[in-house]
């Protein structure tokens, strides 16, 4: 995924945390408005993620990020591409009001932090980048993987959650969200 601009200037940090403001650093004098370039990067990532998951349309775009209270974590590798950096992938999270079924099949109204989209560039998958990004988000949000809900997770993502966080036993739901067995325990402990 190549872009005709300097990704290291656009995204000064290895992981950038983007929200509806679409800003990742300070605007440098004399440079074009970074928002437009950031929007281009997000739109391309959203399209690549949708393609990888065989979705009919992207669930991530700059316009959607601007319209919602989501956080998008964008990972770059500043050393690659002759030092001009590559965008490795992204993870998008946000809180959603959900009606979930607990282990006894009772409806529970919740508003957990949800993983909404997650994508690592095909050639860079299985190199630990996804784990780096996910761990960054967990620290930033001060949350444990078992306390989160997962929107229509792919087979690769389910394998990822099992391997890295030992999340195996999901509690059956009637919507597209997946939660794991500890989800309801950690909720009742917090109440
Ligand atoms: N096939 C099966 N499992 C995979 C694959 C794959 N091609 N790629 C990664 N995984 C899982 C495995 O558990 C793997 O461990 P293993 O190699 O020992 O089997 C583990 O992830 C590797 O961990 P990382 O290297 O940290 O993960 P990666 O950088 O590949 O990121 C991700 C994981 C984001 C799921 C990536 O594979 C990807 O972008 N896949 C395509 C898009 C996708 O399915 N995104 C999830 C959408 S669902 C949602 O967002 C709610």
């Amino acid at each position: 995924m190549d872009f005709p601009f300097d990704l290291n200037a656009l995204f000064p940090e290895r992981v950038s945390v983007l929200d509806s403001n679409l800003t990742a650093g300070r605007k440098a004098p004399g440079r074009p408005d970074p928002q437009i370039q950031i929007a281009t990067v997000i739109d391309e990532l959203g399209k690549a993620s949708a393609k990888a998951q065989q979705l009919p349309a992207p669930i991530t775009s700059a316009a959607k990020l601007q319209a919602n209270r989501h956080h998008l974590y964008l990972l770059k590798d500043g050393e690659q591409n002759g030092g001009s950096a590559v965008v490795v992938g992204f993870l998008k999270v946000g809180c959603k009001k959900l009606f979930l079924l607990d282990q006894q099949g009772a409806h529970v109204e919740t508003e957990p932090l949800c993983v909404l989209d997650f994508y690592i560039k095909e050639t860079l998958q299985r190199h630990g980048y996804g784990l780096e990004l996910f761990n960054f988000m967990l620290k930033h949000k001060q949350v444990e993987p078992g306390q989160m809900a997962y929107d229509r997770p792919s087979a690769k993502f389910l394998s990822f959650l099992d391997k890295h966080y030992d999340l195996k036993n999901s509690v059956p739901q009637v919507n597209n969200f997946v939660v794991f067995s500890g989800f309801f325990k950690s909720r009742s402990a917090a109440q």
Side-chain angles (χ1 to χ4, degrees):
M1 202 173 291
D2 292 324
F3 297 98
F5 37 79
D6 183 354
L7 291 169
N8 278 325
L10 196 59
F11 302 112
E13 307 296 331
R14 184 169 166 89
V15 178
S16 299
V17 185
L18 301 167
D19 60 16
S20 57
N21 296 317
L22 298 194
T23 49
R26 285 200 203 100
K27 184 183 177 319
R31 279 191 168 274
D33 187 347
Q35 260 198 358
I36 295 166
Q37 297 179 339
I38 289 173
T40 303
V41 174
I42 293 172
D43 286 346
E44 287 308 309
L45 283 170
K47 281 186 224 161
S49 179
K51 198 172 165 202
Q53 297 175 63
Q54 296 168 333
L55 301 174
I59 44 179
T60 296
S61 66
K64 286 187 164 95
L65 192 61
Q66 282 175 307
N68 288 287
R69 291 170 55 119
H70 296 158
H71 272 135
L72 187 149
Y73 300 86
L74 184 144
L75 175 65
K76 70 160 190 185
D77 188 337
E79 309 301 315
Q80 288 201 33
N81 202 13
S84 57
V86 293
V87 174
V88 173
F90 76 98
L91 170 62
K92 187 175 76 173
V93 301
C95 288
K96 289 235 172 217
K97 196 167 263 191
L98 299 176
F99 289 93
L100 296 173
L101 299 174
D102 68 12
Q103 273 120 325
Q104 284 72 45
H107 280 95
V108 181
E109 190 180 340
T110 62
E111 197 168 354
L113 187 67
C114 303
V115 175
L116 304 171
D117 204 358
F118 190 18
Y119 170 74
I120 298 293
K121 212 173 134 175
E122 276 72 10
T123 52
L124 299 174
Q125 288 174 16
R126 287 185 145 153
H127 285 67
Y129 287 114
L131 182 64
E132 179 182 349
L133 203 44
F134 206 89
N135 281 339
F136 185 100
M137 177 278 296
L138 293 175
K139 214 166 160 189
H140 184 250
K141 291 286 185 186
Q142 297 273 295
V143 69
E144 298 290 331
Q147 298 171 319
M148 300 184 71
Y150 300 89
D151 189 1
R152 211 188 290 256
S154 64
K156 287 182 186 181
F157 189 28
L158 287 171
S159 167
F160 172 95
L161 291 170
D162 182 354
K163 177 187 168 117
H164 295 304
Y165 304 108
D166 203 26
L167 292 175
K168 300 180 196 306
N169 303 315
S170 62
V171 182
Q173 301 298 322
V174 289
N175 54 26
N176 294 321
F177 284 84
V178 167
V179 291
F180 293 89
S181 52
F183 181 86
F184 296 99
K185 262 187 234 138
S186 62
R187 273 179 50 83
S188 48
Q191 280 166 358

